[in-house]
Amino acid sequence: MSATLPDFELIRPATLAAAIAALQEAEAPRLCAGGTDLIVNMRHGLSPAATLIDITAIDELAGIVRQGEGLHIGAATRLCELEEDDTLARAYPAVAEAVRTIAGPAHRQAATLGGNLCLDTRCLYYNQSDWWRRANDFCLKYGGDVCRVAPSGKRCRAAFSGDLAPALMVHGGEIVIAGGEGLRRLPVQDFYREDGADHLALEKGEIVTGVYLPPPAGLSAYRKLRLRGAIDFPLAGVAISCARREDGWHFAIALTGTNSCPVMVEMPPLAPDEDAAAYFRTLGRQVQKKASPQRTTAIAPHYRRLGVAAMAVRLARDLWQAA
Ligand SMILES: Cc1cc2nc3c(=O)[nH]c(=O)nc-3n(C[C@H](O)[C@H](O)[C@H](O)COP(=O)(O)OP(=O)(O)OC[C@H]3O[C@@H](n4cnc5c(N)ncnc54)[C@H](O)[C@@H]3O)c2cc1C
Ligand code: SF4
């Protein structure tokens, strides 16, 4: 029942190439950025690693730079730097708002963009000490055979609870990944899969190097439901962007905290001559359909489903009025 860290070797490469080589060669390696998620899990006897590769000394992974009309954010950029960036606040407001809701100010001094995107999924039966989980006979995600939330199912339903992914998704963000085969890019939503035990499309030996945000196309915002307003993971979160085009207002909607991965909700544009009240009622229903909260948190799934739909309708209506 120890809450101390297990033994591991710590290495701190100075280049991306050295980090990729270490990932391929070191014994049971795991990347560590700010450590605000990883170290807590390791203390709980989760996320085992014989070698931790600290990526915070790699210049290629740091900072926010203009790329054409868009923006590239390095994976090791700390959340406090994102919080202070004027371009982000002005051009990608949902991203800036989401950053400010992540953990507390002290966490954001260490926590990084890449760590937030690669955050482990969360569940009442998983984020517990080793002795707690042992006493409850471990579960499917780690060490056991049966899911406590959906015992007849074969997949883990733990929730993805990162705040940044949905905000990047509604701005058309792309994740840049480096590995032995070179670089590849994926739309943020394609980086995730609906499996709480294996939710990242990251191959062995790969590192997220950053995120590319295309030129901003409209207004955006982010809201989340949480138990404690000052510091808490989203029980449900929603990011929305709204852009005016010739055929009407286009909404991009993305949810977090309700499924094992962040998900997008499809909506046709709101045409200029359409009944807006009816459109927003449909939007709320579509969000309710897409959200799939399970008994993985302290709050009833139904409340989270209704809460995320209500937040989405309010946000969409406010953005539409402002646009
Ligand atoms: C009290 C508390 C409250 C929190 N509240 C929130 C919250 O409200 N919202 C929220 O989103 N998070 C929250 N968190 C979780 C965490 O603090 C943040 O998600 C943070 O951004 C994680 O970043 P990090 O750099 O510390 O990641 P780390 O802990 O270093 O890493 C997390 C995971 O990502 C992997 N990883 C890190 N960098 C890379 C990379 N470049 N490429 C590939 N894999 C990588 C690591 O191997 C590890 O598996 C909270 C944590 C705590 C302790
Ligand atoms: S959803 Fe099921 S398998 Fe996944 S962590 Fe929770 S109890 Fe374990």
Side-chain angles (χ1 to χ4, degrees):
M1 62 179 270
S2 162
T4 55
L5 275 172
D7 288 339
F8 56 84
E9 187 192 348
L10 180 68
I11 55 176
R12 198 160 189 248
T15 64
L16 182 56
I20 292 171
L23 261 185
Q24 280 156 0
E25 290 155 19
E27 188 198 345
R30 201 175 276 274
L31 298 173
C32 180
T36 58
D37 185 52
L38 180 65
I39 300 297
V40 180
N41 281 348
M42 287 177 72
R43 280 190 194 283
H44 280 170
L46 302 164
S47 311
T51 315
L52 281 195
I53 306 170
D54 176 351
I55 56 172
T56 57
I58 303 175
D59 285 345
E60 294 137 284
L61 301 184
I64 306 171
V65 288
R66 273 191 182 285
Q67 222 172 58
E69 294 295 302
L71 213 59
H72 176 86
I73 311 174
T77 310
R78 291 175 303 141
L79 300 185
C80 59
E81 296 170 64
L82 299 184
E83 223 177 329
E84 288 157 9
D85 191 81
D86 290 339
T87 311
L88 212 59
R90 209 176 41 250
Y92 308 95
V95 180
E97 287 174 13
V99 168
R100 286 196 288 272
T101 71
I102 296 171
H107 295 97
R108 297 197 293 272
Q109 290 289 324
T112 65
L113 167 73
N116 190 263
L117 293 172
C118 298
L119 194 66
D120 199 359
T121 53
R122 300 184 61 78
C123 174
L124 263 180
Y125 299 89
Y126 177 72
N127 299 99
Q128 302 287 354
S129 61
D130 184 68
W131 67 262
W132 190 100
R133 286 178 293 113
R134 189 181 300 278
N136 286 280
D137 203 10
F138 295 117
C139 76
L140 183 69
K141 178 163 158 86
Y142 190 82
D145 302 320
V146 178
C147 169
R148 305 276 160 241
V149 171
S152 57
K154 288 277 168 265
R155 118 171 139 73
C156 166
R157 308 274 169 164
F160 177 77
S161 307
D163 285 297
L164 270 177
L168 298 167
M169 280 155 64
V170 300
H171 278 289
E174 289 178 350
I175 292 200
V176 189
I177 298 167
E181 306 293 310
L183 284 181
R184 65 188 178 106
R185 265 161 107 122
L186 280 180
V188 174
Q189 54 272 34
D190 294 349
F191 182 61
Y192 297 98
R193 36 189 182 227
E194 185 91 60
D195 177 352
D198 185 17
H199 68 299
L200 300 180
L202 200 60
E203 302 299 329
K204 202 165 173 283
E206 287 189 322
I207 298 183
V208 172
T209 61
V211 167
Y212 170 72
L213 282 170
L219 303 175
S220 70
Y222 179 74
R223 293 287 181 280
K224 74 196 247 190
L225 264 182
R226 51 182 160 177
L227 280 179
R228 297 164 296 183
I231 175 172
D232 233 326
F233 287 92
L235 294 163
V238 56
I240 302 194
S241 70
C242 173
R244 173 116 208 226
R245 296 198 201 134
E246 258 177 32
D247 57 345
W249 288 269
H250 288 241
F251 292 91
I253 307 160
L255 314 180
T256 189
T258 54
N259 298 54
S260 291
C261 63
V263 288
M264 298 216 66
V265 180
E266 298 302 328
M267 278 298 287
L270 165 59
D273 57 354
E274 203 175 331
D275 175 353
Y279 179 89
F280 291 122
R281 276 197 301 277
T282 307
L283 187 149
R285 278 196 297 272
Q286 289 303 107
V287 169
Q288 281 198 46
K289 260 196 217 161
K290 195 76 187 190
S292 182
Q294 304 286 320
R295 231 172 10 91
T296 52
T297 69
I299 297 287
H302 188 55
Y303 179 85
R304 286 158 63 204
R305 190 193 299 274
L306 293 182
V308 74
M311 287 190 302
V313 170
R314 236 175 266 163
L315 267 194
R317 202 186 291 126
D318 290 352
L319 289 171
W320 171 67
Q321 276 162 357

